[in-house]
Amino acid sequence: PAAAAALLLAGLAARGGRRALLACAGGGVLASLPWLVVAVRHPEEFWFCNVAFHSLRREVAGASAILLQKLAVVAKWFLLPQHAVLWGLAGYGVWRAPRQTWPAAACALLLAFTYLAATPTYLEYATQFLPFLLIAAVPALTALAPRRLFAAALAAVYVLGLYPLIKRDPADTDIGAKRALWSRSTVAEVTAFLQQHTAPGEPVLSWWEGYPVLSQRPGFRGVGFWESNVAKKLDPAAARRFHVMRRDELRELIRRREPGAIVVADGNWEALHRDIAAGYAPAHRVGAIQIYTRRPAG
């Protein structure tokens, strides 16, 4: 997605002469060396991990559903109060000092359009182009400095726009349940339980790959939050090639009682519950997350 903005920046550097263009290209290549080496050594895997995986894990299907999902995200990109303030300041900056600010504004728009092409599109992609809007907004911020009341009003709108991020939502609502699932207290309690009830070398099977990492326990390659969707869409050979664990492989792991503990959120791995119950007992629940540990032998 950054390619379009990179080409624009290279074009701007070329206007400064050959040395400026070489400096821009050299810096870009130097910063890109890690992924360039991986792409050259493993081109098919690199493409799968960065492009194909994203398209396979999508849960949105159908042209109308995809379009509506994108429109909803675009509306948030532009109309959330804090975003609208920033777009307005950037627009004023381009009008006030176009020669200084249009490159940053153009990079923001290019990145927004290219990230919009991804399906599904997410609100957090805004973090890729909003920094360029901040650069474009510098003249507006300078002009606001003497106008303290107006500046304070805009700052108040920006701060109030952040309120939905910090307000408490009832646990019985969809957003409340999601926030509880990923809250710091939930993650900390699950992690602490795993550390206390599994040995350092015991592997943890988790529907989210973060828990083995955070509890400093071995995990299983190819098991994770999005891998379940991807695994259903790959044949066995492709799943092995790209290290994505299919449902039948998960079932074998559980039947062999290889995991020291299993962590799963409600509504996930329902087809595996019978196999889990055969060898594991519910040990601890944190909200919607159930932790199982091995039953004693026999």
Side-chain angles (χ1 to χ4, degrees):
L7 289 174
L8 172 62
L9 294 173
L12 291 169
R15 295 170 61 183
R18 183 180 297 177
R19 291 183 63 183
L21 178 58
L22 288 175
C24 176
V29 170
L30 183 64
S32 302
L33 274 178
W35 71 261
L36 284 172
V37 170
V38 174
V40 170
R41 293 181 61 187
H42 309 283
E44 191 176 358
E45 289 85 348
F46 181 83
W47 181 260
F48 176 83
C49 290
N50 288 281
V51 179
F53 184 88
H54 187 95
S55 63
L56 286 171
R57 73 181 176 90
R58 75 169 80 167
E59 297 157 325
V60 184
S64 58
I66 290 172
L67 179 62
L68 288 174
Q69 195 266 341
K70 289 182 184 296
L71 289 175
V73 172
V74 170
K76 293 176 181 177
W77 281 358
F78 285 91
L79 300 180
L80 286 177
Q82 64 272 35
H83 293 174
V85 167
L86 195 51
W87 281 105
L89 292 173
Y92 180 84
V94 173
W95 174 74
R96 181 76 177 265
R99 293 185 63 184
Q100 288 78 25
T101 56
W102 79 261
C107 282
L109 288 171
L110 279 172
L111 286 170
F113 276 113
T114 51
Y115 275 96
L116 183 62
T119 300
T121 304
Y122 290 113
L123 174 62
E124 54 263 37
Y125 292 164
T127 59
Q128 304 299 323
F129 59 81
L130 288 182
F132 288 98
L133 290 183
L134 285 171
I135 298 172
V138 168
L141 297 174
T142 304
L144 276 174
R147 306 177 64 180
R148 295 183 178 180
L149 286 177
F150 189 54
L154 281 180
V157 170
Y158 193 94
V159 171
L160 288 173
L162 301 177
Y163 173 70
L165 298 175
I166 59 174
K167 72 181 181 71
R168 290 184 175 274
D169 293 283
D172 57 350
T173 62
D174 184 52
I175 190 170
K178 286 183 178 179
R179 288 187 173 180
L181 186 66
W182 303 109
S183 69
R184 288 175 61 90
S185 59
T186 297
V187 173
E189 186 174 345
V190 173
T191 300
F193 184 88
L194 292 172
Q195 290 176 331
Q196 293 166 9
H197 293 84
T198 59
E202 274 191 305
V204 170
L205 179 62
S206 172
W207 103 105
W208 175 52
E209 61 270 34
Y211 280 121
V213 176
L214 293 173
S215 59
Q216 300 178 329
R217 299 294 186 263
F220 293 90
R221 182 190 291 188
V223 183
F225 189 63
W226 295 110
E227 280 78 351
S228 294
N229 275 347
V230 174
K232 292 184 291 188
K233 302 169 185 178
L234 292 176
D235 59 65
R240 284 193 299 271
R241 178 173 181 78
F242 299 120
H243 308 293
V244 177
M245 194 171 287
R246 290 163 56 87
R247 186 61 52 85
D248 53 344
E249 295 175 290
L250 285 176
R251 182 173 282 109
E252 285 304 310
L253 280 178
I254 295 167
R255 287 178 176 175
R256 293 197 302 266
R257 293 161 55 97
E258 288 190 25
I262 298 174
V263 184
V264 60
D266 293 345
N268 292 271
W269 293 356
E270 293 182 349
L272 300 173
H273 283 185
R274 181 176 295 179
D275 298 285
I276 293 173
Y280 293 81
H284 189 58
R285 172 170 281 275
V286 184
I289 299 175
Q290 180 65 59
I291 306 173
Y292 299 87
T293 54
R294 290 194 194 99
R295 294 184 184 277

